[in-house]
Amino acid sequence: MKREWFALGIVALLVIVFPASLFGYQAWRTNSSDARVIDVIASSPENGGWSPDEIRVNVGEHVRLRIAAPDVVHGFEIPALDVRVDEILPGHVQEVEFVATRAGRFPFACTRWCSVNHWRMRGVIWVSDPAQPALPAPTFAPPLYQQLRIDIDAMHPAQNIPPRKPSAARGAQLNLRVDADFRTQSPDAVFAKLRADAAYDAYDDQQLWDAIAFAYFQNVGAENIANGARRYARDCAACHGERGDGQGPAGKDLPGLTTMHPDMPRGPANFTDASAMLGASDALLQGKILRGGMGTGMPEWGSLYTDADLWSVVAFLRTFTFDDPPAP
Ligand code: HEC
Ligand SMILES: [Cu+2]
């Protein structure tokens, strides 16, 4: 008899007390914290995108976003505030909490390829400081391409094309020092300068290109290339293709450069095109990524990427024209 009561007690515990305490915990959790709860719907752009796509909070406010994705898997990121949710599964509500520590206008974006229009899925969080209603003036240094007055919409074919794809590994064997500022100079310009210099007469064209590939990768470093590779896979490959050939499924129907240069094929840039890539300085490529291609379908990334992110993704783009990047 005693044992039966004991068993019943356990069953009661399992059936009633445990679930009740769980619900109680949930209720306590939602009520006890002083977080301001904001419900956000994440849908693919065709179905409305972010709703709301403008969120207003105050400095120091404890914010809890409850994000629901009715259609497909999305991700969420406010890069400037270091807030991210990797996966918002359909039918689930994902919560993320943060305290905005500084005032400003901070873009947020989806991080999953939820549809061909995924890259349009962006929004803005305004963080205001009640004590200082005017937003702080953004500290804005003009990007390098503007300082250098590079026209990033012009075609930029290289004058010199390597006989074979340049290889950093072969370049490393040469013991050939190349001092060049690749941010401001295209690899093509660097080659032309070396070729015109009698000090390099002992080396053939391919050797100079190999030395340039080696010098370039030495300069940017393995870490940056790895960071760029991650960004590329997440943000660029769907249009530009995993192999950089411009054949990504999401880019096929984009106008590309045809609007400005009617003889150009439609769609995203092909990063395996030696002429276009070797003719471009890092500043030019960074400028295009930062600003986007107006009317071409190339999105802007300047509002979501830090400077370091922009340069590292440029460094990774070079791996489509230079072989043997250093492994991290
Ligand atoms: C929605 C599709 C799409 C996505 C996503 C996209 N691009 Fe593009 N991109 C394009 C198109 C289309 C062009 C060609 C038009 C142009 O050059 O403005 C282009 C052009 C470029 C160019 C110019 C190349 C040149 O030779 O001038 C660079 C550099 C570039 N993209 C880098 C990137 C990087 C890096 C990413 C990811 C962070 C990215 N793109 C994401 C569509 C896309
Ligand atoms: Cu998305």
Side-chain angles (χ1 to χ4, degrees):
M1 202 51 186
K2 233 188 191 162
R3 230 194 248 160
E4 275 165 30
W5 277 114
F6 182 69
L8 206 64
I10 299 232
V11 170
L13 195 74
L14 284 178
V15 174
I16 302 163
V17 181
F18 185 62
S21 65
L22 253 184
F23 280 121
Y25 170 71
Q26 287 292 350
W28 168 81
R29 222 174 73 94
T30 13
N31 294 330
S32 68
S33 109
D34 60 344
R36 165 142 160 244
V37 177
I38 301 174
D39 286 314
V40 178
I41 309 279
S43 304
S44 299
E46 311 81 85
N47 305 328
W50 295 109
S51 172
D53 59 2
E54 282 203 24
I55 298 173
R56 286 170 193 276
V57 302
N58 285 330
V59 170
E61 196 171 18
H62 186 174
V63 179
R64 180 186 305 150
L65 301 180
R66 281 199 310 218
I67 313 175
D71 51 6
V72 293
V73 179
H74 297 275
F76 175 82
E77 185 175 39
I78 321 170
L81 299 178
D82 219 9
V83 175
R84 49 186 64 82
V85 180
D86 282 339
E87 208 166 49
I88 306 154
L89 296 170
H92 290 256
V93 174
Q94 274 297 333
E95 299 194 347
V96 61
E97 299 195 13
F98 63 94
V99 176
T101 47
R102 59 199 169 99
R105 174 190 184 278
F106 305 114
F108 62 86
C110 175
T111 53
R112 291 299 194 97
W113 277 90
C114 49
S115 86
V116 286
N117 290 310
H118 150 77
W119 53 278
R120 295 181 195 274
M121 201 172 155
R122 297 182 178 186
V124 170
I125 292 205
W126 296 87
V127 182
S128 41
D129 186 349
Q132 221 164 357
L135 277 184
T139 45
F140 178 75
L144 191 53
Y145 82 89
Q146 284 181 0
Q147 295 175 37
L148 298 171
R149 297 173 185 280
I150 298 174
D151 175 3
I152 57 178
D153 297 313
M155 303 306 293
H156 40 80
Q159 304 302 310
N160 308 281
I161 301 294
R164 283 194 285 161
K165 194 175 174 190
S167 151
R170 286 197 305 266
Q173 308 292 315
L174 292 170
N175 262 326
L176 182 61
R177 222 184 123 85
V178 175
D179 282 318
D181 181 352
F182 288 102
R183 285 219 171 153
T184 61
Q185 284 183 301
S186 66
D188 180 41
V190 174
F191 173 88
K193 214 168 129 202
L194 296 183
R195 192 67 296 171
D197 185 339
Y200 296 95
D201 277 356
Y203 299 95
D204 67 23
D205 287 0
Q206 185 64 46
Q207 285 174 317
L208 290 188
W209 279 112
D210 292 343
I212 288 169
F214 177 64
Y216 181 86
F217 285 145
Q218 284 290 104
N219 218 23
V220 293
E223 275 311 308
N224 278 323
I225 297 169
N227 178 37
R230 280 192 297 274
R231 304 231 154 232
Y232 185 86
R234 195 188 82 177
D235 296 335
C236 326
C239 284
H240 288 281
E242 233 147 294
R243 285 190 222 96
D245 53 9
Q247 299 297 314
K252 294 230 162 80
D253 298 325
L254 297 172
L257 287 176
T258 34
T259 39
M260 281 169 270
H261 308 274
D263 46 325
M264 288 299 292
R266 296 171 64 84
N270 170 4
F271 301 132
T272 65
D273 176 345
S275 170
M277 289 306 280
L278 299 175
S281 62
D282 279 13
L284 187 156
L285 299 173
Q286 189 245 17
K288 190 47 106 33
I289 301 164
L290 184 147
R291 191 209 65 178
M294 282 112 147
T296 67
M298 166 66 190
E300 66 84 18
W301 299 91
S303 66
L304 294 172
Y305 278 23
T306 64
D307 242 28
D309 292 334
L310 290 166
W311 291 117
S312 67
V313 87
V314 169
F316 176 72
L317 294 187
R318 295 287 183 204
T319 66
F320 296 121
T321 33
F322 293 158
D323 272 337
D324 311 317

